[in-house]
């Protein structure tokens, strides 16, 4: 059997289900479409897939522990025979009858056009509420339409202040207001707001007010830091640096190759698994860096801050 990641098509123009089907002939192909949208008819089965798998708890908004296996009756029955209520290895992964019913109801609702239209109108209204409450002096906003891989509209929010990075915004929103922004869609000065879990206008107002507060606080801190730093000359951080990164379950040795022009720093970052670019700036003996790398069609960022003392930067990593 061939396992095909549905999102791979969006990331690689040479990767397509049709090309895969042509190459493997009669072999069964199962498509991992967990975070994508089932259809009627199913978009993957109609293009040559043998089976397609969807999460019941993502866009369908059914119970989180459920999923859907759609396609070949023979293979679906084989999967069923190895799961509950049968005494096979899949029994440990069983879900309750109530959850099964919930997943079926969620699928029916997702495939009902009037209900989908109501959802989309609600999402657009909530995003419009957030956008209207953000100060145009500090923020630039635009609504992104749903796409094949992002099934809800999103609010793109950017700001002019170059000293404030998106990861700082995301971290402060979670720390100060318990609001989680989707950090894996953010970039240096852009965050995307997903309306999926915003329930009503009151919550939309809260998101906008919190975002405005976080940006104002970070601007004030940046200005105070600049005044405190004064006209101190920048240390030289150019060169090859090794860094020790301590994760919850392991320690890794990473490498940074930096170049510096004035206060501006750029270069390359190499970890045990990922490579990527690195940008940042120096203020006196303080170093501020953001490393970026690609992981599973997502951009991931690590923010490093520290002070130079005796040839060593201490410390650390803001995830």
């Amino acid at each position: 059997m061939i396992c095909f990641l549905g999102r791979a098509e969006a990331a690689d123009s040479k990767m397509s289900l049709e090309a895969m089907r042509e190459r493997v002939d009669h072999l069964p192909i199962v498509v991992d479409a967990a975070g994508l949208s089932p259809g009627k008819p199913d978009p993957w089965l109609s293009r040559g897939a043998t089976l397609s798998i969807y999460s019941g708890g993502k866009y369908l908004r059914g119970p989180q522990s459920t999923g859907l296996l759609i396609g070949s009756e023979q293979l679906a029955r084989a999967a069923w025979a190895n799961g509950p209520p049968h005494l096979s290895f899949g029994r440990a992964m069983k879900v309750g009858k109530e959850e099964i019913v919930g997943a079926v109801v969620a699928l029916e609702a997702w495939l009902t056009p009037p209900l989908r239209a109501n959802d989309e109108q609600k999402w657009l209204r909530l995003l419009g509420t957030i956008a209207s409450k953000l100060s145009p002096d500090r923020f630039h906003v635009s609504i992104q339409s749903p796409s094949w891989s992002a099934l809800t509209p999103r609010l793109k929010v950017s700001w002019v202040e170059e000293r404030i990075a998106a990861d700082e915004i995301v971290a402060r929103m979670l720390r100060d207001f318990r609001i989680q922004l989707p950090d894996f869609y953010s970039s240096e000065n852009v965050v995307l707001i997903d309306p999926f879990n915003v329930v009503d206008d009151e919550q939309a107002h809260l998101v906008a007010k919190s975002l405005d507060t976080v940006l104002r606080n970070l601007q004030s801190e940046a200005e105070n830091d600049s005044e405190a730093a004064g006209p101190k000359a920048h240390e030289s951080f150019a060169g090859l640096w090794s860094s020790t990164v301590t994760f919850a379950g392991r320690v890794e040795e990473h490498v940074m190759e930096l170049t510096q022009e004035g206060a501006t720093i750029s270069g390359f970052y190499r970890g045990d698994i990922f490579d990527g670019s690195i940008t940042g700036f120096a203020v006196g003996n303080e170093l501020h860096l953001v490393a970026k790398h690609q992981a599973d069609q997502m951009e991931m960022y690590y923010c490093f801050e520290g002070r130079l003392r005796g040839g060593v930067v201490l410390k650390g990593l803001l995830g």
Side-chain angles (χ1 to χ4, degrees), residues 81-154:
N82 284 281
H86 309 102
L87 295 176
S88 186
F89 67 90
R91 185 173 177 82
M93 295 174 277
K94 67 182 180 180
V95 297
K97 299 178 180 65
E98 301 85 355
E99 294 169 308
I100 295 173
V101 173
V104 172
V105 172
L107 177 62
E108 291 175 345
W110 185 258
L111 296 178
T112 303
L115 296 178
R116 284 284 300 280
N118 288 341
D119 282 339
E120 291 180 4
Q121 291 173 6
K122 175 186 175 182
W123 293 330
L124 288 171
R125 189 190 79 249
L126 293 172
L127 292 180
T129 298
I130 296 172
S132 68
K133 298 301 179 181
L134 293 176
S135 169
D137 295 332
R138 284 189 287 272
F139 295 98
H140 301 298
V141 298
S142 62
I143 293 180
Q144 294 184 332
S145 299
S147 65
W148 174 81
S149 59
L151 303 180
T152 63
R154 292 189 170 107

Side-chain angles (χ1 to χ4, degrees), residues 3 10 46 51 64 96 99 110 118 138 164 210 225-226 230 255 283:
C3 183
S46 61
L51 295 167
Q64 282 291 327
E99 294 169 308
W110 185 258
N118 288 341
R138 284 189 287 272
I164 299 175
S210 302
D225 289 344
S226 297
V255 175
V283 179

Side-chain angles (χ1 to χ4, degrees), residues 38-82:
K40 190 178 180 182
D42 184 76
W44 300 104
L45 300 181
S46 61
R47 293 173 53 199
T50 313
L51 295 167
S52 53
I53 303 173
Y54 298 96
S55 168
K58 289 187 170 67
Y59 284 107
L60 295 185
R61 289 167 293 171
Q64 282 291 327
S65 61
T66 62
L68 307 171
L69 178 66
I70 301 172
S72 163
E73 180 177 357
Q74 179 185 6
L75 293 179
R77 285 188 176 277
W80 174 71
N82 284 281

Side-chain angles (χ1 to χ4, degrees), residues 192-241:
L192 295 183
I193 296 178
D194 193 326
F196 211 59
N197 296 313
V198 181
V199 175
D200 51 29
D201 287 321
E202 182 179 359
Q203 289 190 0
H205 282 274
L206 178 61
V207 171
K209 182 179 179 181
S210 302
L211 189 56
D212 189 76
T213 300
V214 164
L215 184 64
R216 283 191 285 106
N217 289 343
L218 287 172
Q219 281 181 321
S220 177
E221 292 173 14
E223 291 167 1
N224 291 336
D225 289 344
S226 297
E227 293 175 2
K232 289 190 297 185
H234 306 295
E235 293 277 1
S236 176
F237 292 93
L240 190 65
W241 292 80

